[in-house]
Amino acid sequence: MLSAIKDLGELVIHREEKDDLDIFVEDPNATGNYTQVITINIEQNGETLRFVGVELEDYDSQKKMRYLYRRGSANGPDLSPTAKISGKPAGTFERKILGWFRILEDTDISLEERDKVFLEDIQTILTENADGIKERIVNFRESIPKKEGLLVTLKIYHEGKSKYVGDFPVIIDLFLKQIRKKDERFAVQQQVCSLCGNKKETILGNINTYAFYTIDKPGYIIGNFDKKKAWRNFPVCADCKLNLEEGKKHVEQNLNFRFCGIKYNLVPKFIIGYEGISSEVIDIFTNTSKLISLKQKRIESITGDEEDILTELKDIQDTVTLNFLFIQKMNAAERIHLVIEDVFPSRLRKIFASKYYTDNIYARSFTFRTLRSFFFKSDKNKRNTDLDKYFLDIIDRVFKGRPVSYHFILKFIMMKIRGEFVNDGYFNFAVTDGLMTIAFLKKLELFEMEVEKMEERVFSEMFAKYGPTFETPLKRGLFLLGSLTEMLLRKQYSEREAKPFINNLKSLKMNERDFKGLLPKVQNKLEEYNSFDKGKRLIAKEAANYLLVSGSNWRMSVDEMNFYFAAGMNLIEEVANIVYPDKKAMEESL
């Protein structure tokens, strides 16, 4: 994965001709939340500097290099006197802006005397006017909604022009020196880089491009917990570090998508090197305007989200593999939920083919949100989702072609169906979603389903439409029993505006004994309503035949039995169309 990100970064740097500064400078408004900037204004006349006030201005993406922002330590300054306001605004000024000038005390960093005096004068001005500056910053923070982030920086007026920190060579030089100093802290000489595989003069040992790797915790350190030997964990040369930095930045800014609402980064891996890949394919991953255009394009999504690039990627050749990085940022830390590596476009084509197969059967669009509906919350009253782990595991299996547990899937499908049934909710939608999920996963051959050869009977053609879903006598018998029961419930409701018979269904937790006793109960109740007509008798006859052929000791779980019963309740119109060819008779029977 990291090698793929490094290769992508190398490609972007090459195509856009970026230098080190372009790579290291971060966009403080990458999330779109930092739309305004507080500027601490200083006027320069010759060698004299004076404080002239604090103002608020709109964030300008064209000034990204001039803001010169890069995050430093959480409790210390950033790498330039530009910072995001967090926590207490006054504290941000003390730690991040004024605190940055403590770099002048670093004996390892040498400065020209003129540059040193210039920075010391700025430090003096900020110190002398600290109270007024902090008051203005606090006032701006309080006047702007908390959900909107604020950036604070310095702006210096000179000869009628305004300059930001990134316009001063001395601050740029210190910015880069801090990065190099940190990188070289645990560097070793003449070792092999783990990313490019080449022996390099200098190898860095504390790469922290991704925050899920750190040498501050013992678990990440080898060599008897000696930090000087930590480079053995993740040895990276300076060139690969630059490429990795740019790759991560490009992925987070341009190749970030949502999978059923869950954020993920898409990382391409060029199997034969990008020299052998067509420019059209490379543009999909590297051309920012192309990516924006693809995101805005209305396409048939399989993830259930508006921005879905997978529809485009399924049609490219297997010269590229796709890596899905589901990662959650929590303040400064990053937590990996799932990494799906090396998915070929041909696998995507197979997944889409299964989707189209399922869509065609049920005349509805299957997306992974259909599956997600069963793996969202174990209790709809819960505030947060608690089934993400299960959902992502199934997605991993779908993309990698690894088996899934049919009974595990059914357990959660029935959990949803029962909830909708008991609470008189969207029962029909839940059942259809369950059937589509089973059909989709079976078409991908992710589990086996029992199939028995059966004689041609009245409903054989209808069942054949659904492939292997109903290809055993027991499944067909339960299905038809469900349809007959639904007819009774509708009859009761039409005459009494109630469904008292529904109590016999035990909240769809019936066992084999319950089902065997249910058919005569349904028949008797239909007789009482004078509604056991020719069509219903045919359904009952076929249901009885299939259940009788199934014998005793069905060896089917309670979830599975109730699922096929619920399927029959849901697809009642298809059954009615066969036994009531006359539309008027069908309407009267239902």
Side-chain angles (χ1 to χ4, degrees):
M1 169 68 83
L2 292 176
S3 293
I5 295 172
K6 183 269 294 183
D7 290 343
L8 179 64
E10 182 180 8
L11 176 59
V12 172
I13 291 171
H14 176 73
R15 293 191 104 199
E16 299 182 12
E17 299 180 344
K18 291 191 172 187
D19 60 19
D20 291 9
L21 193 63
D22 292 323
I23 296 166
F24 288 131
V25 171
E26 298 174 2
D27 182 359
N29 192 36
T31 61
N33 295 331
Y34 288 80
T35 58
Q36 293 185 298
V37 182
I38 297 173
T39 62
I40 301 170
N41 301 331
I42 297 173
E43 186 177 75
Q44 181 180 20
N45 289 315
E47 301 297 322
T48 304
L49 301 176
R50 73 181 184 91
F51 173 69
V52 292
V54 181
E55 295 180 344
L56 188 69
E57 67 181 32
D58 291 335
Y59 177 85
D60 185 352
S61 60
Q62 300 298 316
K63 295 177 181 177
K64 184 184 78 169
M65 301 303 294
R66 302 177 71 190
Y67 295 139
L68 201 69
Y69 173 76
R70 184 178 175 91
R71 188 181 183 281
S73 63
N75 298 317
D78 294 325
L79 300 195
S80 77
T82 295
K84 294 178 178 179
I85 293 180
S86 60
K88 295 181 179 180
T92 299
F93 170 75
E94 291 283 357
R95 292 192 323 276
K96 301 289 187 180
I97 304 301
L98 197 53
W100 180 84
F101 288 88
R102 285 199 292 272
I103 196 172
L104 297 174
E105 302 168 10
D106 191 337
T107 57
D108 292 334
I109 295 178
S110 61
L111 290 171
E112 296 281 342
E113 185 62 27
R114 181 179 176 181
D115 290 334
K116 185 177 181 181
V117 170
F118 172 70
L119 294 176
E120 287 175 340
D121 287 348
I122 295 177
Q123 182 183 29
T124 299
I125 286 174
L126 296 177
T127 302
E128 291 175 349
N129 295 277
D131 291 341
I133 293 171
K134 286 188 284 188
E135 182 180 357
R136 290 286 287 164
I137 291 175
V138 170
N139 289 339
F140 280 130
R141 177 66 279 178
E142 291 177 347
S143 67
I144 295 172
K146 289 185 178 181
K147 65 180 181 180
E148 295 183 26
L150 280 173
L151 197 69
V152 60
T153 190
L154 306 180
K155 186 159 70 170
I156 298 177
Y157 293 94
H158 180 60
E159 296 180 352
K161 295 181 180 180
S162 58
K163 291 186 176 182
Y164 295 84
V165 295
D167 294 321
F168 292 92
V170 60
I171 298 180
I172 293 174
D173 185 52
L174 289 173
F175 178 89
L176 294 172
K177 281 181 177 178
Q178 290 176 87
I179 295 173
R180 295 188 185 109
K181 182 179 179 181
K182 183 177 180 181
D183 287 346
E184 293 169 0
R185 186 178 172 192
F186 298 107
V188 293
Q189 307 301 312
Q190 298 297 324
Q191 297 295 337
V192 176
C193 172
S194 62
L195 293 180
C196 66
N198 296 321
K199 190 173 185 178
K200 295 292 185 74
E201 182 177 344
T202 300
I203 291 293
L204 310 178
N206 63 334
I207 300 300
N208 60 350
T209 305
Y210 277 99
F212 50 73
Y213 173 78
T214 174
I215 61 172
D216 294 332
K217 295 181 177 63
Y220 287 95
I221 301 174
I222 62 175
N224 296 322
F225 304 110
D226 183 353
K227 286 189 177 184
K228 293 181 180 179
K229 298 178 181 178
W231 64 270
R232 298 177 183 177
N233 288 291
F234 189 24
V236 176
C237 68
D239 291 336
C240 283
K241 188 213 169 172
L242 281 175
N243 295 334
L244 190 61
E245 289 258 353
E246 181 59 29
K248 180 189 178 186
K249 186 191 303 183
H250 181 78
V251 166
E252 290 183 342
Q253 292 178 0
N254 301 294
L255 293 170
N256 59 315
F257 302 92
R258 287 183 176 270
F259 201 108
C260 300
I262 303 175
K263 293 180 180 179
Y264 77 94
N265 293 148
L266 182 67
V267 182
K269 182 178 180 181
F270 304 104
I271 302 174
I272 58 176
Y274 52 79
E275 296 86 357
I277 308 294
S278 70
S279 59
E280 291 81 4
V281 172
I282 289 178
D283 275 348
I284 290 177
F285 298 108
T286 61
N287 188 317
T288 302
S289 59
K290 170 92 172 176
L291 279 162
I292 293 173
S293 176
L294 285 175
K295 288 183 178 183
Q296 294 174 343
K297 184 179 178 182
R298 289 288 176 182
I299 56 176
E300 188 174 19
S301 166
I302 196 171
T303 64
D305 294 277
E306 290 185 1
E307 296 181 358
D308 183 4
I309 198 174
L310 301 186
T311 304
E312 296 286 337
L313 298 180
K314 70 177 172 38
D315 296 321
I316 65 178
Q317 295 181 338
D318 283 349
T319 53
V320 178
T321 62
L322 306 172
N323 300 278
F324 298 78
L325 177 61
F326 292 86
I327 187 169
Q328 179 184 11
K329 289 194 174 184
M330 297 162 30
N331 298 322
E334 292 171 324
R335 179 184 177 189
I336 297 177
H337 287 295
L338 175 68
V339 178
I340 306 176
E341 293 187 287
D342 296 328
V343 178
F344 285 91
S346 56
R347 180 63 187 175
L348 285 183
R349 288 195 289 275
K350 191 169 184 178
I351 292 171
F352 272 90
S354 297
K355 164 190 162 53
Y356 299 143
Y357 164 83
T358 306
D359 293 352
N360 184 58
I361 292 176
Y362 292 94
R364 279 178 53 187
S365 177
F366 176 89
T367 72
F368 282 111
R369 280 193 181 272
T370 310
L371 175 63
R372 175 67 162 158
S373 67
F374 303 112
F375 294 91
F376 189 61
K377 294 180 181 178
S378 58
D379 183 342
K380 66 179 181 180
N381 295 318
K382 286 190 174 183
R383 181 175 181 181
N384 299 318
T385 62
D386 61 341
L387 299 178
D388 291 351
K389 179 180 178 181
Y390 293 145
F391 174 70
L392 290 176
D393 178 65
I394 295 169
I395 296 303
D396 180 44
R397 292 171 182 273
V398 168
F399 278 100
K400 300 300 291 183
R402 296 190 295 116
V404 300
S405 170
Y406 171 63
H407 293 288
F408 180 78
I409 296 290
L410 267 183
K411 173 185 174 181
F412 286 90
I413 289 177
M414 280 309 301
M415 187 187 300
K416 172 81 170 177
I417 289 175
R418 287 189 184 109
E420 300 298 337
F421 181 76
V422 170
N423 297 303
D424 198 20
Y426 298 102
F427 170 72
N428 289 336
F429 285 104
V431 175
T432 302
D433 285 348
L435 287 165
M436 293 178 74
T437 297
I438 294 298
F440 173 77
L441 296 175
K442 178 64 182 89
K443 185 64 177 177
L444 284 171
E445 301 176 334
L446 298 184
F447 54 71
E448 295 293 328
M449 292 185 77
E450 186 180 0
V451 174
E452 294 183 28
K453 189 174 182 179
M454 292 171 282
E455 63 176 328
E456 289 294 318
R457 298 186 67 88
V458 177
F459 298 102
S460 294
E461 186 176 344
M462 179 196 73
F463 286 124
K465 166 187 172 183
Y466 296 98
T469 304
F470 304 107
E471 287 303 298
T472 68
L474 181 53
K475 292 176 182 178
R476 292 186 178 187
L478 292 170
F479 179 97
L480 293 174
L481 179 55
S483 294
L484 190 65
T485 305
E486 177 65 18
M487 288 181 173
L488 169 60
L489 295 174
R490 293 189 182 189
K491 183 64 178 178
Q492 282 191 327
Y493 190 79
S494 68
E495 294 197 4
R496 304 175 57 177
E497 294 189 359
K499 301 176 181 179
F501 191 81
I502 205 168
N503 293 325
N504 289 278
L505 306 187
K506 297 184 176 181
S507 302
L508 296 182
K509 295 180 180 178
M510 295 175 283
N511 58 27
E512 179 179 341
R513 183 178 178 181
D514 296 323
F515 281 114
K516 286 180 176 178
L518 186 63
L519 181 55
K521 288 181 182 179
V522 174
Q523 291 179 203
N524 292 337
K525 190 59 69 174
L526 286 169
E527 291 277 14
E528 291 178 16
Y529 283 94
N530 295 317
S531 185
F532 199 40
D533 54 36
K534 183 179 179 181
K536 295 184 182 67
R537 290 180 187 276
L538 179 57
I539 298 171
K541 175 185 175 183
E542 292 298 303
N545 173 74
Y546 283 122
L547 294 177
L548 184 62
V549 171
S550 301
S552 59
N553 189 16
W554 288 349
R555 292 183 299 177
M556 185 180 280
S557 69
V558 169
D559 284 333
E560 192 172 7
M561 286 187 285
N562 285 272
F563 174 70
Y564 287 104
F565 178 82
M569 295 178 70
N570 184 54
L571 298 174
I572 183 176
E573 278 75 14
E574 294 200 35
V575 176
N577 282 331
I578 295 173
V579 298
Y580 299 108
D582 180 76
K583 186 176 181 181
K584 183 178 180 181
M586 182 182 73
E587 291 175 352
E588 290 176 354
S589 69
L590 298 178

